[in-house]
């Protein structure tokens, strides 16, 4: 009887050890792809905002730039110390279909995206997105951004 119990124990133990292994990979929680669709509205019409500037900053959080001015070239300047500048990690433009696709590197924890309207650039219209706007456990996402004639712009 003891021999049978030992055989069962030695047969089941390896199976339990394999099933309980810590070698399993955890799914990534960052988005795989973020697709921005950028438009402007004028006189009730919605038009693709081709050529809008897109600035992407990795390892920068919105709270990091509370005292910063945003320049149209994407440079962020500290209002208390103008020698402290933050430059975008990447600079791009919205394409002819009104789209910009961002694929953040794996394990991206801090992400800041600033999009400047090309059509309303005289009003300095821009929109800011952070990693909190995109946190959806790895799902691809589409963001529709509309710059409207009623916006007063941001400084």
């Amino acid at each position: 009887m003891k021999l049978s119990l030992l055989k069962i124990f030695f047969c089941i133990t390896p199976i339990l050890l394999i099933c309980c292994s810590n070698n399993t990979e955890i799914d990534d929680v960052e988005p795989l792809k973020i697709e921005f669709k950028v438009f402007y509205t004028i006189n009730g019409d919605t038009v693709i905002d081709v050529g809008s500037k897109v600035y992407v900053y990795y390892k920068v959080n919105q709270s990091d730039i509370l005292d910063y001015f945003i320049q149209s070239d994407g440079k962020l300047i500290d209002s208390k110390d103008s020698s402290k500048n933050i430059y975008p990690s990447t600079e791009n433009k919205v394409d002819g279909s009104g789209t910009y696709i961002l694929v953040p590197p794996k394990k991206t924890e801090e992400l800041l995206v600033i999009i400047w309207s090309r059509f309303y650039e005289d009003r300095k219209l821009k929109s800011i997105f952070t990693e909190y706007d995109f946190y959806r456990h790895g799902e691809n996402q589409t963001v529709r951004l509309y710059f409207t004639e009623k916006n007063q712009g941001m400084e």
Side-chain angles (χ1 to χ4, degrees), residues 121-137:
E121 65 188 340
D122 59 326
R123 290 206 243 159
K124 300 180 181 178
L125 291 186
K126 58 189 157 293
S127 192
I128 300 173
F129 301 91
T130 68
E131 69 273 7
Y132 303 112
D133 297 313
F134 310 122
Y135 189 75
R136 289 200 187 167
H137 302 286

Side-chain angles (χ1 to χ4, degrees), residues 4-148:
S4 296
L5 287 174
L6 281 174
K7 283 182 182 179
I8 292 172
F9 175 77
F10 285 117
C11 289
I12 294 177
T13 301
I15 294 171
L16 290 175
L17 290 175
I18 291 170
C19 292
C20 297
S21 171
N22 284 337
N23 253 352
T24 58
E25 289 186 27
I26 298 172
D27 292 338
D28 293 336
V29 293
E30 63 272 355
L32 302 174
K33 178 177 78 169
I34 305 165
E35 180 181 34
F36 292 91
K37 297 277 194 178
V38 183
F39 306 91
Y40 67 87
T41 61
I42 188 161
N43 300 326
D45 294 326
T46 300
V47 183
I48 296 170
D49 203 349
V50 176
S52 292
K53 298 174 188 173
V54 181
Y55 300 107
V56 179
Y57 308 80
Y58 297 111
K59 298 183 182 177
V60 176
N61 189 300
Q62 189 171 6
S63 62
D64 297 337
I65 64 164
L66 292 177
D67 295 325
Y68 282 72
F69 293 110
I70 304 169
Q71 292 192 327
S72 61
D73 63 356
K75 182 168 60 171
L76 306 174
I77 301 173
D78 191 326
S79 62
K80 296 176 184 172
D81 181 358
S82 62
S83 67
K84 291 184 180 179
N85 299 321
I86 299 174
Y87 295 91
S89 304
T90 63
E91 300 177 28
N92 293 284
K93 291 187 177 183
V94 171
D95 67 19
S97 68
T99 303
Y100 171 72
I101 296 175
L102 173 64
V103 181
K106 290 187 184 264
K107 310 289 185 215
T108 297
E109 292 183 12
E110 295 180 318
L111 172 66
L112 181 72
V113 179
I114 300 175
I115 301 178
W116 283 74
S117 172
R118 180 169 184 253
F119 184 79
Y120 288 120
E121 65 188 340
D122 59 326
R123 290 206 243 159
K124 300 180 181 178
L125 291 186
K126 58 189 157 293
S127 192
I128 300 173
F129 301 91
T130 68
E131 69 273 7
Y132 303 112
D133 297 313
F134 310 122
Y135 189 75
R136 289 200 187 167
H137 302 286
E139 295 176 8
N140 291 336
Q141 298 173 52
T142 300
V143 176
R144 292 185 175 278
L145 174 59
Y146 295 88
F147 291 107
T148 66

